[in-house]
């Protein structure tokens, strides 16, 4: 299976409205349109002097810092830790989830990232894996045993056309690091994300749909930091405007058919120093009977 991660807005194959996907197929421009955007004070987010914009997103949940029209920022590195969650699997349908840190992808064509996955097969079996990806290239599996409860630490750095991805399982004392060359990496944002991947029937983005989000319970990100323009700091250190992304899955938004209501996920408040938060899976509230659609093709984050 191929997994790719980047975001652009494209129509669905069956005219069900715009679809916000992380895929490397064609087009460009801003991604992850917000159904609702509000700004909260730093005090509400338990941080100081930094406003946090609340945004709804079709398949990302977590935090990002991003360059804006008034605050131009070029990021050079991002780091973060998390504890690999266990997924609660039920036989009958597959579901997927991914946890990662990365640079770019929110408003650009390219995304440099590394992280882990926690998936459920249609038979109800859980599987866990590690990977890195430089969109638009395909996902590359990392040979590393990952199990629930493992403490993971990830780092992505960009210098010119050189990208360094590093992933460590601190519990098992295993690590991976690789330096790669990438044409024009995007460095306009830094992200700490829990995600519902997307699956595509072909290399065309209009053939993609967002998969059901696996029930991962919750995942806690810690030690979140980014580097930009010679400075390194936490999410709320003032490097760039901060957004909190809530995954609001909509059966008519990026899906061919809604066989059931899709799960959502939401980030909690940032810690006082802006380096920690928890993303929590949310149970679907509505069941919508419909003919089951069986699709095959590469999976995208």
């Amino acid at each position: 299976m191929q997994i790719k991660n980047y975001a652009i807005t494209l129509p669905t194959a069956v005219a069900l409205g715009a679809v916000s996907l992380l895929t490397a197929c064609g087009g460009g421009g801003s991604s992850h349109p917000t159904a609702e955007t509000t700004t909260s004070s730093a005090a509400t987010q338990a941080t100081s002097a930094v406003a946090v914009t609340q945004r709804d997103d079709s398949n990302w949940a977590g935090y990002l810092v991003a360059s804006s029209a008034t605050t131009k920022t070029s990021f050079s590195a991002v780091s973060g830790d998390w504890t690999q969650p266990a997924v609660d699997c039920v036989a009958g349908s597959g579901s997927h989830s991914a946890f990662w840190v990365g640079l770019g992808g929110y408003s650009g064509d390219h995304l440099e990232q590394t992280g882990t996955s926690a998936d459920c097969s249609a038979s109800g079996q859980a599987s866990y894996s590690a990977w890195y990806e430089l969109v638009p290239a395909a996902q590359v599996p990392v040979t590393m045993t990952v199990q629930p409860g493992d403490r993971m630490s990830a780092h992505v750095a960009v210098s010119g056309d050189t990208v360094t991805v590093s992933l460590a399982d601190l519990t098992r004392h295993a690590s991976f690091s690789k330096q790669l060359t990438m044409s024009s990496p995007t460095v306009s944002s830094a992200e700490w994300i829990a995600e519902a991947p997307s699956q595509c029937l072909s290399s065309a983005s209009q053939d993609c749909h967002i998969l059901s989000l696996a029930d991962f319970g919750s995942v806690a990100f810690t030690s979140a930091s980014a580097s930009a323009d010679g400075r390194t700091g936490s999410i709320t250190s003032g490097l760039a405007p901060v957004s909190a992304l809530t995954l609001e899955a909509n059966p008519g938004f990026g899906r061919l058919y809604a066989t059931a209501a899709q799960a959502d996920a939401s980030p909690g408040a940032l810690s006082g120093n802006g380096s920690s938060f928890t993303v929590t899976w949310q149970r679907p509230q509505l069941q919508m009977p419909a003919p089951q659609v069986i699709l095959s093709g590469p999976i995208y984050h």
Side-chain angles (χ1 to χ4, degrees):
M1 125 182 120
Q2 294 180 345
I3 299 179
K4 299 182 181 178
N5 306 268
Y6 88 101
I8 77 174
T9 304
L10 291 166
T12 67
V14 290
L16 289 177
V19 55
S20 174
L21 295 176
L22 301 181
T23 145
C25 307
S30 180
S31 60
H32 296 279
T34 56
E36 180 178 354
T37 302
T38 59
T39 301
S40 61
S41 67
T44 302
Q45 294 292 327
T47 58
S48 60
V50 175
V52 177
T53 299
Q54 306 291 327
R55 301 182 185 274
D56 289 345
D57 193 85
S58 61
N59 62 333
W60 286 11
Y63 280 85
L64 67 87
V65 287
S67 182
S68 67
T70 57
T71 306
K72 296 295 184 181
T73 307
S74 180
F75 292 90
S76 58
V78 62
S79 297
D81 298 353
W82 64 91
T83 298
Q84 179 72 9
V87 284
D88 185 6
C89 299
V90 178
S93 63
S95 56
H96 305 265
S97 59
F99 316 96
W100 53 268
V101 304
L103 295 176
Y106 190 75
S107 59
D109 292 343
H110 298 166
L111 173 58
E112 307 85 54
Q113 59 183 167
T114 187
T116 60
S117 294
D119 304 323
C120 295
S121 69
S123 62
Q125 297 298 310
S127 62
Y128 304 92
S129 59
W131 48 269
Y132 71 87
E133 188 167 4
L134 306 185
V135 172
Q139 172 257 2
V140 178
V142 171
T143 304
M144 179 183 293
T145 298
V146 177
Q147 292 295 328
D150 286 3
R151 187 67 181 162
M152 308 303 301
S153 183
H155 180 77
V156 177
V158 174
S159 178
D161 291 341
T162 300
V163 180
T164 303
V165 290
S166 302
L167 187 65
D169 187 323
L170 304 179
T171 301
R172 300 177 184 276
H173 307 290
S175 62
F176 168 87
S177 184
K178 192 173 185 67
Q179 192 174 85
L180 307 110
T181 300
M182 181 183 188
S183 177
S184 302
T186 298
V187 292
S188 56
S189 60
E191 300 94 8
W192 301 263
I193 298 295
E195 181 181 3
S198 300
Q199 187 167 42
C200 297
L201 298 175
S202 73
S203 59
S205 296
Q206 61 265 31
D207 289 336
C208 299
H209 75 290
I210 300 168
L211 296 169
S212 296
L213 180 65
D215 180 0
F216 59 85
S218 65
V219 58
F221 285 85
T222 61
S223 302
S225 70
S227 299
D229 304 325
R231 296 173 52 210
T232 298
S234 70
I235 296 172
T236 55
S237 61
L239 296 173
V242 180
S243 293
L245 302 180
T246 296
L247 195 164
E248 290 284 354
N250 184 331
F253 187 60
R255 290 175 181 80
L256 299 178
Y257 293 95
T259 57
Q262 304 296 319
D264 297 331
S266 61
L270 287 161
S271 61
N273 62 6
S275 65
S276 303
F277 64 93
T278 298
V279 176
T280 302
W281 182 89
Q282 296 175 329
R283 186 174 302 279
Q285 299 299 310
L286 176 68
Q287 295 299 317
M288 299 175 61
Q292 183 177 9
V293 177
I294 300 175
L295 298 172
S296 61
I299 293 176
Y300 295 72
H301 285 157

